[in-house]
């Protein structure tokens, strides 16, 4: 008699297909690659059919695996929705919520929102993954994310979160400006030590400026390049030490402007741009923790 596979094995199989590999699937469902591999092996043994093509570099579904996935994914989603119904009978929703956000959002946006949210919903376990690369939410095992408009996927629902306008600021220490002079126009930056950032794609960020409808693009040069996001604070430290001019979000540099450790540079030229969005897959069913967070963010936006 064939024994029906358990839910964990089925979930592991779906995760491997969506993530494209055992390691990423394990990360998405909070398991280990070996445990995920064993779960898929059990599923293949119980069904008597090979479900995955495995090579040293990739994993892909067989025809049988593809057909199983097409039937299985809606069933698992329906099961999750059915189990979540009990949340409606609780005073406060419970469960896990996983967000994928850029480092700047973890530093500047979420600290203004999460304390009140976590106090209101103490039974929600929130996990925040700060990642500046563009990831697929579902394959990364995330419920929602924060991104700016130009990087949103078209099939996602987007809700404004945080300030609706932000600026990119330039700052330098008083000692640096005393030694090298103060730029009066963005073009003057070619003669200055600019502390640069490299995107996860490998490209070095250009510096954009705007004033009276005129846009100026500068390819900065200087003694330091750091990766955007988690390493950005290093460029601030180097600017504070008097080694160059740094460009970052206004809110990030604002405390140093207020203390006098950095001085604003070219402020009339600072680029303004729309604030970020909370985004999530456009589907009828939303898990209770995500639904609570979306409603909370919408209410915060209305009060702002």
């Amino acid at each position: 008699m064939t024994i029906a596979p358990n839910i964990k094995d089925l979930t592991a199989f779906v995760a491997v297909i969506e993530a494209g590999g055992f390691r990423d699937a394990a990360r998405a469902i909070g398991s280990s690659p070996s445990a995920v591999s064993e779960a898929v092996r059990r599923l293949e043994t119980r069904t008597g059919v090979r479900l995955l093509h495995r090579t040293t570099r990739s994993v892909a579904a067989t025809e049988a695996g593809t057909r199983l996935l097409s039937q299985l994914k809606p069933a698992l989603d329906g099961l999750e929705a059915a189990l979540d119904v009990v949340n409606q009978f609780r005073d406060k929703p419970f469960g896990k919520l996983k967000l994928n956000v850029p480092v700047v959002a973890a530093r500047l946006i979420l600290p203004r929102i999460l304390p009140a949210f976590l106090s209101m919903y103490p039974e929600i376990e929130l996990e925040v993954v700060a990642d500046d690369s563009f990831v697929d939410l579902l394959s990364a095992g995330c419920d929602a994310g924060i991104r700016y408009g130009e990087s949103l996927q078209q099939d996602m629902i987007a809700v404004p979160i945080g300030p609706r306008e932000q600026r990119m600021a330039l700052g330098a220490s008083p000692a640096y400006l005393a030694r090298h002079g103060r730029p009066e126009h963005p073009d003057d930056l070619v003669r200055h030590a600019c502390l640069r950032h490299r995107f996860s794609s490998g490209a070095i960020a250009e510096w954009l400026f705007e004033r009276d409808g005129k846009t100026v693009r500068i390819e900065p040069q200087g003694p330091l390049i750091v990766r955007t996001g988690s390493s950005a604070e290093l460029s601030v430290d180097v600017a504070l030490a008097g080694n160059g001019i740094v460009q970052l979000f206004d809110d990030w540099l604002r405390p140093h402007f207020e203390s006098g450790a950095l001085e604003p540079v070219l402020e009339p030229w600072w680029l303004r741009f729309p604030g970020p969005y909370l985004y999530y897959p456009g589907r009828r069913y939303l898990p209770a923790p995500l639904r609570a967070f979306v409603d909370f963010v919408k209410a915060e936006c209305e009060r702002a």
Side-chain angles (χ1 to χ4, degrees):
M1 180 177 69
T2 302
I3 301 175
N6 63 45
I7 295 297
K8 288 185 177 180
D9 292 353
L10 296 172
T11 301
F13 166 71
V14 172
V16 170
I17 298 300
E18 291 184 337
F22 291 98
R23 187 177 300 277
D24 288 342
R27 186 181 300 114
I29 63 176
S31 185
S32 67
S34 60
V36 171
S37 179
E38 181 59 29
V40 174
R41 190 176 295 111
R42 281 196 303 268
L43 182 59
E44 290 180 323
T45 299
R46 289 172 177 174
T47 59
V49 177
R50 178 176 289 278
L51 301 173
L52 297 177
H53 292 300
R54 302 167 176 85
T55 70
T56 56
R57 294 187 177 182
S58 65
V59 175
T62 63
E63 182 179 356
T66 300
R67 292 193 180 186
L68 175 61
L69 180 67
S70 67
Q71 298 293 317
L72 190 57
K73 189 64 169 64
L76 289 177
D77 287 345
L79 179 60
E80 184 179 358
L83 292 173
D84 192 56
V85 166
V86 299
N87 256 327
Q88 300 176 17
F89 296 91
R90 299 175 60 90
D91 293 334
K92 298 288 185 180
F94 77 103
K96 296 183 178 182
L97 175 61
K98 188 174 182 180
L99 303 179
N100 182 282
V101 307
V103 171
V104 67
R107 183 182 179 91
L108 302 180
I109 305 299
L110 292 182
R112 306 175 183 178
I113 296 173
L114 292 192
F117 175 76
L118 294 175
S119 295
M120 183 176 291
Y121 299 103
E123 295 188 55
I124 290 180
E125 179 183 314
L126 177 62
E127 179 178 354
V128 177
V129 179
D131 184 358
D132 283 298
S133 60
F134 300 123
V135 303
D136 180 86
L137 283 181
L138 297 180
S139 64
C142 296
D143 299 290
I146 295 177
R147 287 291 182 269
Y148 288 84
E150 69 276 6
S151 59
L152 289 177
Q153 295 173 274
Q154 292 184 351
D155 59 344
M156 293 287 174
I157 295 176
V159 176
I161 185 171
R164 300 324 308 143
E165 184 178 79
Q166 294 182 279
R167 297 192 300 175
M168 291 301 291
L170 258 68
S173 71
Y176 175 88
L177 295 174
R179 291 196 309 270
H180 300 282
R182 179 180 294 275
E184 299 296 334
H185 187 276
D187 289 340
D188 297 339
L189 292 171
V190 298
R191 296 185 292 274
H192 284 268
C194 299
L195 308 175
R196 297 171 288 169
H197 296 137
R198 187 186 299 276
F199 294 119
S200 57
S201 65
I204 294 179
E206 63 180 357
W207 289 6
L208 299 179
F209 302 90
E210 187 175 63
R211 185 177 186 182
D212 299 330
K214 180 181 179 181
T215 300
V216 177
R217 298 173 180 267
I218 299 294
E219 294 185 3
Q221 301 297 318
L224 178 69
I225 301 174
V226 301
R227 183 63 61 92
T228 57
S230 58
S231 299
E233 190 62 32
L234 176 59
S235 64
V236 178
D237 291 338
V238 172
L240 289 169
N243 293 105
I245 299 175
V246 63
Q247 184 187 59
L248 265 178
F249 287 76
D250 184 11
D251 288 346
W252 196 317
L253 297 181
R254 181 57 49 187
H256 302 298
F257 293 148
E258 292 175 351
S259 71
L262 293 178
E263 294 185 11
V265 174
L266 295 173
E267 187 168 2
W269 285 91
W270 289 357
L271 181 70
R272 298 175 181 270
F273 54 94
Y277 293 85
L278 173 71
Y279 73 106
Y280 54 93
R283 58 188 182 187
R284 183 176 302 175
Y285 160 70
L286 286 184
L290 176 57
R291 184 168 59 248
F293 189 66
V294 170
D295 291 343
F296 186 88
V297 168
K298 287 181 177 179
E300 287 292 303
C301 187
E302 292 175 356
R303 284 193 289 268

